[in-house]
Amino acid sequence: MTIFMTAAIMLMILLSLALLWREGLCRSFRSFVFALLPLAAVFLLRIPLLPKETADYQMFLAPWVDFFRTYGFEGLSMSVGNYNPPYLYFLALFSYLDMPPLYQIKLLSMLFDVLLAWSVLKLVSLYTENRKARFASFFAVLVLPTVVLNGAYWGQCDSIYVFFGLIGIYCALSEKPVRAMLCIAASLAFKLQAVFIMPIFFVFLVDRRIKLRHLPIFPAAYVLYLLPPVLLGRDFVETMTLYVSNASTVGDRLNYNSPSLYSIFDSLDTALWSEIGVALAFAFMLLVFVAAVSLKRHGRLSGRVTLYLALLLIVGIPFLLPHMHDRYFFAADVLALALCFLDARTVPCAVCVQCASLLCYRAYLCNAYLLPPAIAGFLMLLAFAGYVGFAVAAVFGEKRSDTKNCEN
């Protein structure tokens, strides 16, 4: 097992170096050494966390792998867990390997941590040629506390759907609409929380970065990603509507340890505010869409402005929606970090986002609150207000032609 883990981590380091080389950041001996040392450090940081088992692993992930050890890939034709099939493909594969599933699950998340860092590097590279900023953006993702804890400690897979979501945004911004639709479909195929990222694609449609003819790619790709269980005998409609049938597993409390609006106001009427919260989230999305149409009409819908709108949606939707869980701001954590390398003034907002999420992570992982839950909610509210201000400033401070012509 130790040999396998060592080999897997070495391969991840090599993949990281290859991605940096591909971006022109690791092509000399000096830059190679400069990259290798921090890469070794970020993976060494994760190693002590790998043996940790959380309740989520013990109650869900481990039994799911045991299920596939009994039925193999044929188990995909049956009902197991509340995750969509693409993640279960990996669990089915892990069931054939003779090593504890805990390490396999966490190593998979660590692999996507690397790809997530690369997606941030690609986004940052669209708007700056500064080598130090681009280089630092890659490593900043790998040491972001919630990224480290989410995969290496918690054994969660949020880095997978956020990677596909952010690389989809990158593809749309770099005029690659087909790839963008394939990526956002993959994001949703892995996790329902991709719905926090998906609304920005309407803005891409307004900005004509995505055309109407590209929209059918999304459902076609989604069906393709979920097809293997159907081919093995599972009902087609049931497979394609798993998110609908699993809606009851979300829970009926207004807040599940997330830094949302309902962590600040914890004594609201649940039934009433469940409806109000959904209405507020949809109203907010509609407001962003109307703003995007107006900005396009006045020639002010630049790529940078679109990124701010994306972050507003990724923060605002889960902040307003009821029934949110602690990890639902993972995409916000990462995109907020990315924007720091494009505008250093946003650093305080990114710190607020990260601290809000981290307080909620700490409450779950340590089974105790470090600070009252309302503090996390206030921090997220401050960050949200700040990003509204920065988005407005970007609208009036930038021209439409802000995207540099970089090698994509």
Side-chain angles (χ1 to χ4, degrees):
M1 182 179 66
T2 303
I3 295 175
F4 180 87
M5 284 181 54
T6 303
I9 290 174
M10 289 299 297
L11 287 174
M12 289 182 207
I13 292 175
L14 289 175
L15 173 62
S16 301
L17 292 170
L19 292 173
L20 290 170
W21 180 87
R22 185 179 184 274
E23 301 305 316
L25 298 174
C26 191
R27 294 187 176 179
S28 67
F29 179 76
R30 180 180 178 182
S31 60
F32 176 85
V33 173
F34 191 72
L36 184 59
L37 294 178
L39 277 173
V42 298
F43 284 104
L44 285 173
L45 176 67
R46 285 164 165 78
I47 290 176
L49 305 178
L50 296 180
K52 307 292 184 181
E53 293 187 11
T54 65
D56 280 353
Y57 171 76
Q58 294 170 345
M59 296 172 60
F60 303 108
L61 297 175
W64 295 349
V65 176
D66 288 339
F67 173 87
F68 286 113
R69 281 183 171 160
T70 300
Y71 296 101
F73 278 105
E74 290 294 327
L76 292 169
S77 66
M78 310 174 199
S79 177
V80 54
N82 59 359
Y83 273 38
N84 235 24
Y87 186 68
L88 299 181
Y89 303 158
F90 289 106
L91 298 188
L93 175 63
F94 295 160
S95 69
Y96 289 90
L97 302 179
D98 186 22
M99 71 174 294
L102 176 68
Y103 295 101
Q104 300 176 70
I105 288 168
K106 290 188 175 185
L107 288 171
L108 173 67
S109 296
M110 288 166 57
L111 170 63
F112 275 92
D113 287 351
V114 172
L115 295 175
L116 181 63
W118 176 63
S119 71
V120 168
L121 168 59
K122 296 295 287 182
L123 276 174
V124 170
S125 297
L126 279 174
Y127 301 106
T128 180
E129 295 179 348
N130 187 304
R131 288 175 58 87
K132 291 181 179 178
R134 295 165 63 212
F135 196 85
S137 68
F138 183 88
F139 288 97
V141 174
L142 292 176
V143 297
L144 192 68
T146 48
V147 171
V148 174
L149 293 173
N150 188 281
Y153 189 105
W154 207 330
Q156 295 293 343
C157 62
D158 296 283
S159 59
I160 302 179
Y161 89 87
V162 177
F163 158 68
F164 281 113
L166 294 190
I167 205 68
I169 291 175
Y170 161 78
C171 289
L173 289 172
S174 54
E175 313 296 342
K176 298 172 183 176
V178 174
R179 297 183 192 180
M181 299 308 292
L182 291 173
C183 287
I184 193 60
S187 182
L188 182 64
F190 272 98
K191 254 199 166 177
L192 180 59
Q193 284 72 49
V195 297
F196 305 146
I197 303 174
M198 287 170 56
I200 196 61
F201 280 74
F202 177 85
V203 177
F204 292 139
L205 190 64
V206 169
D207 202 20
R208 298 174 187 167
R209 295 177 186 271
I210 290 174
K211 307 294 193 303
L212 287 174
R213 67 176 181 272
H214 298 126
L215 295 185
I217 296 172
F218 177 86
Y222 185 81
V223 169
L224 183 64
Y225 298 146
L226 273 63
L227 201 56
V230 176
L231 297 177
L232 289 170
R234 191 165 186 176
D235 181 77
F236 177 83
V237 175
E238 177 196 0
T239 303
M240 299 301 152
T241 59
L242 282 172
Y243 286 141
V244 177
S245 59
N246 288 331
S248 60
T249 64
V250 173
D252 56 5
R253 286 165 46 192
L254 281 176
N255 185 42
Y256 286 88
N257 192 36
S258 80
S260 72
L261 176 67
Y262 311 99
S263 65
I264 303 174
F265 306 101
D266 60 355
S267 59
L268 299 172
D269 180 87
T270 300
L272 176 63
W273 278 91
S274 291
E275 297 180 1
I276 292 176
V278 172
L280 286 174
F282 273 100
F284 172 66
M285 282 192 292
L286 181 61
L287 180 63
V288 172
F289 297 159
V290 170
V293 172
S294 177
L295 291 171
K296 177 63 178 178
R297 186 175 302 161
H298 293 88
R300 292 185 177 274
L301 190 57
S302 68
R304 286 175 182 265
V305 170
T306 302
L307 281 178
Y308 277 111
L309 295 181
L311 186 54
L312 285 176
L313 289 166
I314 290 170
V315 172
I317 294 172
F319 184 77
L320 295 171
L321 279 177
H323 318 309
M324 296 295 98
H325 290 243
D326 29 35
R327 293 177 287 106
Y328 287 8
F329 287 86
F330 187 82
D333 297 343
V334 178
L335 188 55
L337 177 66
L339 282 175
C340 291
F341 293 93
L342 303 180
D343 188 347
R345 296 172 300 174
T346 66
V347 168
C349 290
V351 171
C352 286
V353 171
Q354 181 62 196
C355 288
S357 290
L358 199 56
L359 284 171
C360 296
Y361 274 46
R362 198 264 184 190
Y364 173 84
L365 296 173
C366 298
N367 200 29
Y369 287 103
L370 179 65
L371 296 172
I375 299 297
F378 275 119
L379 287 172
M380 195 62 73
L381 179 59
L382 281 174
F384 180 62
Y387 286 125
V388 170
F390 285 120
V392 172
V395 166
F396 293 102
E398 305 223 9
K399 295 181 179 179
R400 178 65 181 83
S401 59
D402 68 332
T403 305
K404 73 180 185 63
N405 294 319
C406 61
E407 65 284 1
N408 294 320

